Amino acid sequence: MWPKGRVLHFQRKLHEWASADAERRFHDLWNLVCDPATLVVAWSRVSRNRGSRTAGVDAATRRHVEARGVEQFLTELREELKVGSFRPLPVRERLIPKRDGRKRRLGIPTLKDRVAQMALKLVIEPIFETGFYQSSYAYRPGRRGQDAIAEIVQFTKAPSEYEWVIETDVEACFDQLPHGLIGDEVRRRIADKRILWLMRSFLRAGVMTETGRLQRTITGTPQGGIASPLLANIALSALDRHYQADWQEMSSYDGKRQDLRRKGHPTYRLVRYADDLVLLVKGTRAQTQALLDQLAGRVQALGLKLKAEKTAITHIDEGFVFLGQRIIRRAYGPKRHIYTFVTNEAWPRSSAR
């Protein structure tokens, strides 16, 4: 149990220091990544995952590592990290069919790279968690899709009654995230050059396609990588920051949102689950369209774009599907009270857009 205790101890300290000073940049984290306790915990988490039975480009699985000796495996990895000789291998491409007939590209790192990524995640996640915004729900400790749905329900029912919904997602988000955007956001909190080097190494490791061709990776963070969800959340915090600033401005004094609406201005709230975006609006249909244009511009400024076929403006009374759940508002009961319902049926979308 001592490795878990040691890792939990430094994670708590990092979280405490990052919470106490939102502008603090951390300079000396590399020794924590290379710490034997960190690598033991990283191996424990990676090896428990069913994916540990799937090999990367080096054909090594958990069984191979265990046959050779886990202690030797971790000792060699630690030495490579400490002396700077560690080099991630390209991820192995695997194409997964999607419901719409297209394919999702997963990138499977080698087991050694997965352990190194997990060690990196164990160290930097407590720092960035303190700065993530309320609007972000995916891939975060203690948060889940049901929490995002609950916030949408809260804002669309009385007394808030936000009625217009912009539903969209970022096109090929994991594949297209600019490395510069990821790096800029990471450098807001991390000043340790060795940590930044390790992150860049994973981003630039390349992809070995199913046809055996090596592709360079000049954008994106591969789906399937241990650190990829965290890096995506860090990058998309740049979008969350805009909407958090807007919300704070709209809420700068008690009753301001009501004052804004009385003067004919809309109020709005972002809910983000990874690259799935929902913007709730209280205002007119025309104002909602203007906010959609603003959202598209903000996403474009990050080097990304919205997926046109997944973008729509919907009234909450028509209902919409989010994370596989149908969310719709209806009058119910003899007194026709208005409620917002959630059902696990992904009903067909209304054609009235």
Side-chain angles (χ1 to χ4, degrees):
M1 295 298 293
W2 74 266
K4 293 182 181 179
R6 177 169 171 77
V7 170
L8 185 59
H9 173 72
F10 76 61
Q11 286 182 320
R12 285 173 173 166
K13 296 301 291 184
L14 291 172
H15 190 275
E16 177 185 329
W17 293 332
S19 299
D21 184 358
E23 301 299 321
R24 177 170 179 169
R25 298 179 73 220
F26 290 79
H27 292 264
D28 190 12
L29 299 173
W30 187 247
N31 288 335
L32 295 178
V33 172
C34 301
D35 192 295
T38 307
L39 296 177
V40 168
V41 173
W43 165 258
S44 175
R45 294 194 180 185
V46 169
S47 62
R48 287 201 311 263
N49 192 297
R50 189 169 59 180
S52 64
R53 294 178 291 183
T54 304
V57 296
D58 63 353
T61 64
R62 181 184 66 192
R63 186 174 61 181
H64 293 96
V65 172
E66 291 173 341
R68 183 170 167 237
V70 172
E71 185 175 351
Q72 181 180 347
F73 170 80
L74 294 180
T75 299
E76 291 175 356
L77 173 57
R78 180 170 183 260
E79 187 63 24
E80 289 179 19
L81 289 169
K82 287 187 69 176
V83 303
S85 62
F86 175 79
R87 295 293 184 273
L89 293 175
V91 298
R92 181 169 69 87
E93 179 186 62
R94 186 173 181 184
L95 300 176
I96 307 297
K98 299 170 67 174
R99 291 182 180 180
D100 59 8
R102 294 180 296 178
K103 292 185 177 181
R104 183 190 308 276
R105 186 169 82 164
L106 295 183
I108 303 172
T110 66
L111 207 54
K112 180 188 289 187
D113 292 347
R114 274 176 263 178
V115 174
Q117 285 192 38
M118 180 61 78
L120 175 67
K121 182 175 182 285
L122 288 169
V123 173
I124 70 172
E125 185 175 53
I127 296 170
F128 285 99
E129 261 299 314
T130 66
F132 285 155
Y133 298 95
Q134 185 68 25
S135 57
S136 171
Y137 284 93
Y139 311 124
R140 296 183 58 189
R143 304 197 121 207
R144 53 184 184 161
Q146 289 90 333
D147 298 319
I149 291 170
E151 180 169 357
I152 293 171
V153 171
Q154 184 67 29
F155 272 86
T156 53
K157 71 178 185 180
S160 299
E161 295 183 333
Y162 282 59
E163 54 187 346
W164 291 103
V165 179
I166 297 172
E167 42 178 326
T168 186
D169 64 29
V170 180
E171 185 169 356
C173 181
F174 279 82
D175 291 334
Q176 298 299 325
L177 276 172
H179 290 173
L181 172 63
I182 298 173
D184 289 345
E185 291 299 314
V186 170
R187 281 190 291 271
R188 292 171 67 93
R189 301 309 304 265
I190 306 295
D192 190 322
K193 293 183 178 179
R194 293 163 296 183
I195 296 288
L196 299 173
W197 167 82
L198 184 61
M199 180 200 70
R200 285 194 302 268
S201 297
F202 285 126
L203 293 175
R204 298 173 180 175
V207 176
M208 184 64 70
T209 69
E210 289 189 337
T211 61
R213 185 167 59 91
L214 179 61
Q215 282 185 347
R216 293 177 58 210
T217 45
I218 57 176
T219 62
T221 178
Q223 293 191 61
I226 298 291
S228 292
L230 175 60
L231 294 178
N233 265 341
I234 291 172
L236 292 175
S237 288
L239 178 64
D240 299 339
R241 193 177 303 120
H242 285 296
Y243 286 95
Q244 180 67 17
D246 290 351
W247 184 256
Q248 289 177 339
E249 175 61 27
M250 288 184 286
S251 310
S252 57
Y253 59 83
D254 288 343
K256 183 173 182 179
R257 294 196 298 276
Q258 291 85 343
D259 287 346
L260 286 170
R261 290 192 291 269
R262 280 194 294 268
K263 295 174 182 177
H265 301 293
T267 56
Y268 48 94
R269 176 78 171 179
L270 177 70
V271 176
R272 180 176 68 80
Y273 191 87
D275 58 342
D276 289 321
L277 310 176
V278 169
L279 192 65
L280 305 171
V281 182
K282 191 164 186 177
T284 67
R285 175 66 167 75
Q287 289 169 335
T288 305
Q289 179 62 56
L291 287 169
L292 173 55
D293 295 340
Q294 180 192 68
L295 173 59
R298 287 177 169 179
V299 170
Q300 187 175 13
L302 301 180
L304 299 164
K305 64 179 180 178
L306 300 181
K307 186 180 292 185
E309 61 268 28
K310 291 288 189 72
T311 300
I313 294 176
T314 309
H315 196 278
I316 189 60
D317 290 346
E318 297 177 27
F320 71 105
V321 177
F322 180 63
L323 303 182
Q325 304 291 299
R326 182 78 176 178
I327 305 172
I328 190 169
R329 191 174 68 183
R330 284 281 184 263
Y332 183 75
K335 295 186 178 180
R336 307 305 290 167
H337 292 303
I338 295 176
Y339 298 93
T340 300
F341 293 92
V342 179
T343 172
N344 59 10
E345 283 189 65
W347 299 342
R349 293 170 180 261
S350 169
S351 59
R353 295 296 186 202

